[in-house]
Amino acid sequence: MGRSVANSTTTVLALETPAASAPVGAANFYRRFLETVERWPDHVAVEMQRSDPAKPVERHTYAELRRDAESIGRWLAEQGLERGARCAILASNGPRWVAAYLGAVAAGMVAVPLDIALKPEQVARLLADSGSTVLFVDGRHLAAGERAASGLKCRIVLLELEAEGKGRFPNVEEMFAAGPGDFTPVDTALDETVLLLYTSGTTADPKGVVLTNDNLLAEVEAVFKFIQVTPKDSILGVLPLFHALAQMANLLLPFAAGARVVYLEQLNTSELMRALRERDVTLFCCVPQFFYLIHERILKQVKERGALAQAAFRVLMGVSRLGRRVGINLGKVFFKKAHQALGTHMRFLITGGSRFDAAIGRDLEAMGFDILQAYGLTETSGGAFATPIGQNVIGSVGKPLYGVEARLADTQASEDEEGPAAGEILIRSRIVMKGYYKRPEATAEVLRDGWLYTGDLGYFDEDGNLFITGRKKDVIVLSSGKNIYPEEIEAHYQQSPWIKEVCVLGLESRPGEPFAERLHAVIVPDFELLKQKKIVNTREVIRFDLDGLSAQLPPSKRILSFELWQEELPRTTTRKLKRYQIRKSVLEGAAAAEAEASPVRELSSEDAAWLDEPDVQRALRVVREAAREKKESIHPNDNLELDLGLDSMERVELLVALEQELGASVDDSVVSEVYTVRDLVDAVRKGMGAEGAKRASFPGWEAVLATDTDDPEVTAITEPRPISTAAIFLLGRAVNLFLRDAFRLKVIGLEKLPKHGPFLLSPNHQSYLEAPILPTLLPWSLWKDMFYVGTSEIFGEGIFRRIARLIKLIPVDPDANLVRAMRAGAYGLRRGMVLTLYPEGERSIDGRPKTFKKGAAILSYHLQVPIYPVAVEGFYEAWPRGKPFQKFADLKIMFGDPIYPPKKGGNPELVYDQITRELRARVVAMWLKLRGEEPDQADRLDQAAD
């Protein structure tokens, strides 16, 4: 039921389910567990899937689990510990973890599960904060546990008999052997603390969440109203049990229902898939990333089968979606293999813990998977919302669970004022925590008038389904007053295949920057995909995608700066970004850059031996001189682009310089296959002494372009095709007449072009339209000699490859093979042809000229041919980047006076820079003239491009 409530300070929307009364029967959670044991003593409670083929599965029945738990409970009782003493657990999931947890609860103690990813000093702080007097630890985490407990009054207990600490510490196997004796479980009251869970670490200050028997029983009761769990169910538990979601899904629920829980000795993809196939799993609750992996795997397999399979897949998905709308699940038939991989007994996949991508959710639903979404916090004992079975709304987290009231506080209209109003989510229920341990101020901040202020933002649709929009503390408030939800921005930019991870932050700009504030992105590239595609200029490729995706957003939501990280972004156990830690690293990195300080990587013995080799030392002197980012020491694993600042052109120049220094001959393709200093140096060393290896008498691009090519796709541009060339020319003339009328095309300065080549035409790049329109303006004497170097991504195969041959376009991917692209350009120019080359290398995101690359300048200088600058205007308005064709806008084209290269001699790099600057200045000046703007605005454009 929904209702609106208003008072003087807050407007809220409230949703509630019938209030749950105190549980009938069990007085505490352990008593509820005992009821299960008495009903199904011989049912398997816990399975441990092991990697040992001789003993692949370890099983414990409910009766055995009770005996193990109460054996530990007896030992704890005999230690003279006070009721409510804290018993911490630092171990991986498994039967002994569960026994220690239940044993502590049975003895009237408080269980304190700890994150196994924490460093010893962090564990020590939590042991001290909780006042833990016992620490259960397995062999894998014994060393960390010892360091953490050192100096504290905290006794270590081993969960494994064969652990290194055998004989030095009490061991649960010894307790199991002694048995429970006459131990009697302590009858703790409903309001007594039974569990202390520390928040997952999205902030630098984890707090202990105090949960009582009543909290746990209310959670069990609420979830059982949402989904039926029986002794026939098998639940796969891969989330670590120190997290609230795992506590609810993989411990509280199954042990209250007599279900079987499966844990994994080794958590990896192969063991997880094996468990799904072999353990008859019926329910699986996990964070969204696992379901993304399933989705990615399926799409990858389809893509590998070719275009026909992809087309068939899309058709089946469409039919399956229609079937879902009328209640028929055709996905299980169409995508049977995918369902077999997850086990034929699977009832529901349940996701929670972090944001779930709705698009992926809809795809998986069409494939026949029943995916339910849940939402909750550590402070709510686990789940508080879930999508009702049969009423699953993908993208939402559903409705409040039984006994949960929810409302929104401080609602604000969406930015476009058309979407639903979002506000902070408030929850009231018996599942809400007692408070934060020893943190009265923090408790008072979030628990007010019986309501838990979650800090999460969301909105309800008209049917009462909750949609999460982000965290209140993560919202970026711009000076304009606009609220930016970083998760929304991240989801948009993650459409780029080159981006593996992204975190969006709001940063104040430094003095002199054009914006007072900006959205800044920390991006982890998908290096595996980049290597597969042989792309080495990572920053440039990602920037291109960022620009294209930015065009689809309003200006306030666009990323204005970014940095690339080579390591994964720090996350919590439920895969939430640790934004505070990322922000701290970004700010510290900026400060280090300003101080010209660089982090020093440690050298392994292998690295040190490699650096000591004479050939390597000679090579590193050349690398150090070429590096744009100057460093005191170069590490073998330094990335040529990200650590040394070398672009694709500069990598080629470095390769040639290394060939000279070491007397080597290296295949051109090496440039597209090396990423680190070690890769490059070792590739050149392999070419030492090879046939043709020699020290060149001329440096850099002169050496590269001096070698002509016999590539048939390049040499084809000089093959005579009089009939097809004439036919295309006449077609172009007809198109030109249409364009002059439809687009009111205006052309200025065409007479400045010579009657014959060689020369380069270099226009600014606003749209796809320039490529087919520019050639239609040229006379036959130039038309017949026109050629292009285009992306192989578009013209590399099929009918487009045939079209490329007809229009004399050489399909080369400059990202993967820059040397081939440059040699192709040089080949045509040597033969008196005309090359159209876009110096920006990409279409502008807003129509304004951007940074010019030096490719045109290099060809002009070394081939001694002029460049004719060209300015275009109106093309962006007609067909902007990232959008479909918009309209028949007024198009204008202006040809400028030629730029002649200086005679060879002197420093080529200075010449490249001089020509590139002059070319951009000429194009910008003409572009501004076409727009009717003043030339002095070019300075501001220069700043924007930089």
Side-chain angles (χ1 to χ4, degrees):
M1 180 177 67
R3 56 190 173 89
S4 295
V5 181
N7 56 36
S8 59
T9 58
T10 305
T11 301
V12 301
L13 172 70
L15 290 175
E16 57 185 302
T17 60
S21 58
V24 178
N28 55 48
F29 174 72
Y30 192 76
R31 287 294 177 190
R32 182 68 184 260
F33 168 71
L34 290 182
E35 289 177 3
T36 303
V37 176
E38 290 167 7
R39 294 183 67 184
W40 301 288
D42 298 325
H43 279 213
V44 175
V46 179
E47 279 187 351
M48 184 70 164
Q49 178 175 288
R50 297 196 179 279
S51 53
D52 183 1
K55 189 181 180 182
V57 182
E58 174 188 340
R59 294 185 175 90
H60 298 260
T61 66
Y62 273 94
E64 290 168 342
L65 182 58
R66 174 187 180 178
R67 186 181 188 279
D68 290 348
E70 293 188 0
S71 297
I72 293 174
R74 173 191 174 185
W75 183 86
L76 289 170
E78 290 174 349
Q79 304 311 303
L81 300 175
E82 295 182 0
R83 182 164 170 160
R86 274 59 174 157
C87 298
I89 308 173
L90 184 68
S92 301
N93 290 4
R96 289 161 186 78
W97 194 106
V98 176
Y101 175 92
L102 292 173
V105 173
M109 312 296 178
V110 176
V112 187
L114 298 177
D115 187 341
I116 56 176
L118 295 177
K119 297 177 181 178
E121 54 269 25
Q122 294 172 309
V123 174
R125 282 200 296 271
L126 297 188
L127 290 176
D129 183 76
S130 62
S132 294
T133 53
V134 174
L135 173 62
F136 291 97
V137 63
D138 59 13
R140 190 183 303 177
H141 303 95
L142 176 59
E146 280 193 87
R147 284 180 58 189
S150 176
L152 300 174
K153 294 180 179 180
C154 185
R155 192 172 185 181
I156 290 178
V157 177
L158 293 176
L159 292 177
E160 297 172 349
L161 184 63
E162 62 275 10
E164 294 181 4
K166 181 182 177 182
R168 295 191 291 130
F169 305 109
N171 193 299
V172 295
E173 294 287 351
E174 298 166 352
M175 301 172 196
F176 296 160
D182 57 356
F183 172 77
T184 301
V186 175
D187 280 325
T188 51
L190 278 174
D191 63 349
E192 279 193 68
T193 301
V194 65
L195 184 61
L196 190 59
L197 283 179
Y198 279 88
T199 52
S200 59
T202 55
T203 69
D205 181 31
K207 297 178 283 291
V209 174
V210 177
L211 298 177
T212 66
N213 276 305
D214 192 38
N215 291 144
L216 303 190
L217 291 172
E219 177 71 11
V220 170
E221 205 171 332
V223 176
F224 280 171
K225 296 282 187 179
F226 154 66
I227 189 170
Q228 185 181 18
V229 183
T230 73
K232 294 181 180 180
D233 280 309
S234 174
I235 300 173
L236 179 58
V238 297
L239 290 175
L241 285 168
F242 54 76
H243 191 272
L245 180 62
Q247 286 271 315
M248 179 269 288
N250 305 327
L251 196 150
L252 299 179
L253 261 64
F255 294 161
R260 171 168 53 99
V261 186
V262 179
Y263 299 119
L264 307 181
E265 180 182 45
Q266 292 185 359
L267 183 54
N268 55 49
T269 303
S270 59
E271 284 296 296
L272 190 150
M273 298 306 291
R274 175 190 152 204
L276 289 169
R277 288 192 311 269
E278 299 178 4
R279 303 269 66 81
D280 295 332
V281 175
T282 61
L283 297 170
F284 181 35
C285 181
C286 196
V287 292
Q289 273 68 22
F290 172 76
F291 303 112
Y292 297 167
L293 177 64
I294 295 174
H295 182 264
E296 181 183 357
R297 220 179 237 197
I298 293 172
L299 295 188
K300 184 178 180 182
Q301 289 173 355
V302 172
K303 187 175 181 180
E304 288 172 351
R305 294 177 183 174
L308 186 61
Q310 291 181 65
F313 177 78
R314 286 193 291 269
V315 171
L316 292 176
M317 286 283 281
V319 174
S320 186
R321 282 193 174 95
L322 290 174
R324 278 292 204 177
R325 290 178 186 175
V326 296
I328 303 173
N329 188 352
L330 297 172
K332 288 190 174 183
V333 179
F334 293 161
F335 311 105
K336 188 175 181 180
K337 288 186 177 180
H339 285 268
Q340 288 175 338
L342 293 185
T344 56
H345 297 84
M346 185 68 69
R347 291 171 55 209
F348 295 106
L349 302 172
I350 305 169
T351 180
S354 59
R355 180 187 174 277
F356 185 59
D357 190 310
I360 292 179
R362 282 188 282 271
D363 277 357
L364 292 174
E365 185 181 54
M367 293 177 200
F369 296 105
D370 291 314
I371 297 186
L372 304 177
Q373 298 120 96
Y375 162 73
L377 304 92
T378 307
E379 290 86 344
T380 61
S381 311
F385 283 74
T387 48
I389 297 170
Q391 302 176 41
N392 190 11
V393 178
I394 298 294
S396 82
V397 294
K399 299 177 180 179
L401 293 176
Y402 179 75
V404 175
E405 292 179 78
R407 71 182 193 182
L408 303 180
D410 298 324
T411 55
Q412 294 186 8
S414 61
E415 186 174 324
D416 58 13
E417 297 184 355
E418 294 180 2
E424 183 175 3
I425 302 163
L426 276 57
I427 293 174
R428 181 165 65 185
S429 172
R430 284 172 43 224
I431 65 174
V432 173
M433 67 173 181
K434 195 173 184 177
Y436 293 122
Y437 185 59
K438 297 192 301 187
R439 304 287 185 90
E441 293 181 359
T443 300
E445 186 177 340
V446 299
L447 286 178
R448 290 178 252 166
D449 300 323
W451 290 93
L452 172 67
Y453 285 67
T454 65
D456 288 320
L457 300 172
Y459 65 88
F460 292 103
D461 67 10
E462 58 185 12
D463 295 319
N465 295 295
L466 177 64
F467 292 77
I468 307 294
T469 57
R471 288 286 292 170
K472 187 176 180 179
K473 64 180 178 58
D474 294 334
V475 172
I476 301 167
V477 183
L478 302 179
S479 57
S480 62
K482 294 185 182 296
N483 288 346
I484 303 297
Y485 300 100
E487 287 188 344
E488 173 194 344
I489 309 300
E490 289 156 3
H492 177 75
Y493 282 102
Q494 208 144 14
Q495 294 178 77
S496 167
W498 316 116
I499 296 177
K500 184 177 180 181
E501 295 183 282
V502 58
C503 175
V504 173
L505 306 169
L507 297 183
E508 292 183 5
S509 295
R510 294 179 288 272
E513 292 184 333
F515 305 98
E517 58 196 347
R518 66 190 188 279
L519 293 185
H520 180 81
V522 177
I523 294 171
V524 177
D526 190 333
F527 288 108
E528 186 176 332
L529 180 61
L530 289 164
K531 287 182 179 180
Q532 180 184 332
K533 299 292 186 180
K534 294 187 176 182
I535 294 173
V536 291
N537 52 329
T538 306
R539 181 179 296 278
E540 188 173 330
V541 168
I542 287 180
R543 185 183 59 78
F544 178 82
D545 267 19
L546 291 181
D547 284 351
L549 290 165
S550 291
Q552 303 168 20
L553 294 174
S556 62
K557 293 185 176 181
R558 294 175 183 173
I559 289 174
L560 297 180
S561 62
F562 72 96
E563 60 188 79
L564 302 182
W565 287 12
Q566 300 181 57
E567 305 296 330
E568 289 188 354
L569 299 180
R571 293 178 180 268
T572 68
T573 54
T574 54
R575 304 297 295 164
K576 292 178 184 175
L577 291 170
K578 293 186 176 180
R579 296 181 188 275
Y580 76 92
Q581 189 173 326
I582 296 170
R583 184 182 184 85
K584 180 181 178 183
S585 297
V586 168
L587 295 176
E588 287 177 349
E594 289 176 5
E596 297 185 353
S598 300
V600 178
R601 288 177 172 154
E602 293 183 4
L603 287 173
S604 66
S605 56
E606 181 185 354
D607 293 333
W610 185 81
L611 290 170
D612 284 340
E613 296 182 30
D615 291 337
V616 172
Q617 291 183 3
R618 288 168 56 200
L620 289 184
R621 283 195 293 271
V622 177
V623 173
R624 193 175 290 109
E625 181 66 26
R628 191 183 296 174
E629 301 291 338
K630 301 303 180 184
K631 303 176 68 173
E632 291 184 9
S633 60
I634 291 179
H635 192 281
N637 294 329
D638 277 346
N639 186 289
L640 294 172
E641 178 190 21
L642 304 183
D643 293 315
L644 302 186
L646 299 175
D647 62 22
S648 51
M649 294 282 185
E650 290 162 338
R651 279 194 295 275
V652 173
E653 294 162 2
L654 175 57
L655 173 62
V656 173
L658 287 173
E659 287 180 300
Q660 293 174 332
E661 177 64 30
L662 299 183
S665 178
V666 182
D667 191 270
D668 296 339
S669 63
V670 163
V671 177
S672 65
E673 297 170 356
V674 295
Y675 293 84
T676 67
V677 171
R678 189 199 298 271
D679 291 341
L680 178 60
V681 173
D682 283 349
V684 176
R685 291 169 74 199
K686 284 181 183 178
M688 291 173 63
E691 185 178 351
K694 63 181 185 300
R695 289 178 181 270
S697 59
F698 36 78
W701 282 103
E702 183 73 20
V704 173
L705 300 179
T707 305
D708 217 339
T709 179
D710 57 2
D711 187 331
E713 286 190 322
V714 178
T715 58
I717 64 174
T718 56
E719 294 176 2
R721 293 192 187 87
I723 296 176
S724 61
T725 304
I728 296 173
F729 175 73
L730 292 174
L731 177 63
R733 276 288 180 252
V735 170
N736 184 262
L737 293 175
F738 166 76
L739 295 174
R740 287 181 181 275
D741 181 51
F743 288 97
R744 294 170 294 281
L745 179 62
K746 182 179 181 181
V747 181
I748 303 170
L750 182 60
E751 70 280 358
K752 294 182 179 181
L753 296 183
K755 292 183 178 180
H756 301 283
F759 61 86
L760 291 100
L761 279 178
S762 289
N764 58 308
H765 203 359
Q766 290 190 334
S767 170
Y768 279 134
L769 289 172
E770 296 128 14
I773 289 178
L774 272 173
T776 68
L777 307 176
L778 304 182
W780 168 255
S781 61
L782 293 178
W783 170 284
K784 64 183 178 61
D785 292 329
M786 285 284 295
F787 79 105
Y788 316 84
V789 178
T791 173
S792 57
E793 185 177 350
I794 297 175
F795 295 97
E797 57 186 24
I799 190 171
F800 285 102
R801 196 177 191 92
R802 295 181 182 179
I803 292 173
R805 247 181 120 76
L806 285 173
I807 62 174
K808 299 180 183 178
L809 185 146
I810 304 164
V812 180
D813 186 350
D815 294 326
N817 206 332
L818 176 65
V819 172
R820 181 169 177 252
M822 293 292 284
R823 281 182 175 156
Y827 177 87
L829 291 170
R830 277 199 189 94
R831 285 151 181 83
M833 301 183 74
V834 179
L835 172 62
T836 299
L837 189 150
Y838 294 95
E840 292 165 283
E842 63 190 47
R843 286 164 292 142
S844 172
I845 187 178
D846 54 10
R848 300 184 303 171
K850 299 297 183 184
T851 302
F852 279 25
K853 299 175 184 178
K854 59 184 179 181
I858 291 172
L859 289 170
S860 172
Y861 177 66
H862 291 288
L863 276 298
Q864 288 291 289
V865 297
I867 303 174
Y868 282 80
V870 183
V872 302
E873 172 55 9
F875 290 77
Y876 174 79
E877 287 73 19
W879 192 355
R881 178 173 160 185
K883 295 180 182 179
F885 181 82
Q886 300 291 299
K887 62 180 179 179
F888 288 96
D890 291 354
L891 301 184
K892 301 174 184 177
I893 301 176
M894 178 181 287
F895 294 85
D897 294 318
I899 299 172
Y900 291 98
K903 298 295 182 183
K904 292 182 184 179
N907 187 333
E909 284 298 326
L910 294 178
V911 176
Y912 304 156
D913 185 63
Q914 176 190 339
I915 294 175
T916 303
R917 286 182 177 277
E918 183 177 356
L919 174 60
R920 186 175 186 279
R922 295 264 201 101
V923 170
V924 169
M926 291 192 299
W927 175 74
L928 289 171
K929 189 173 182 180
L930 291 177
R931 291 171 60 88
E933 298 179 6
E934 294 299 323
D936 61 2
Q937 296 188 39
D939 292 337
R940 291 199 292 275
L941 280 169
D942 287 339
Q943 292 177 1
D946 294 338

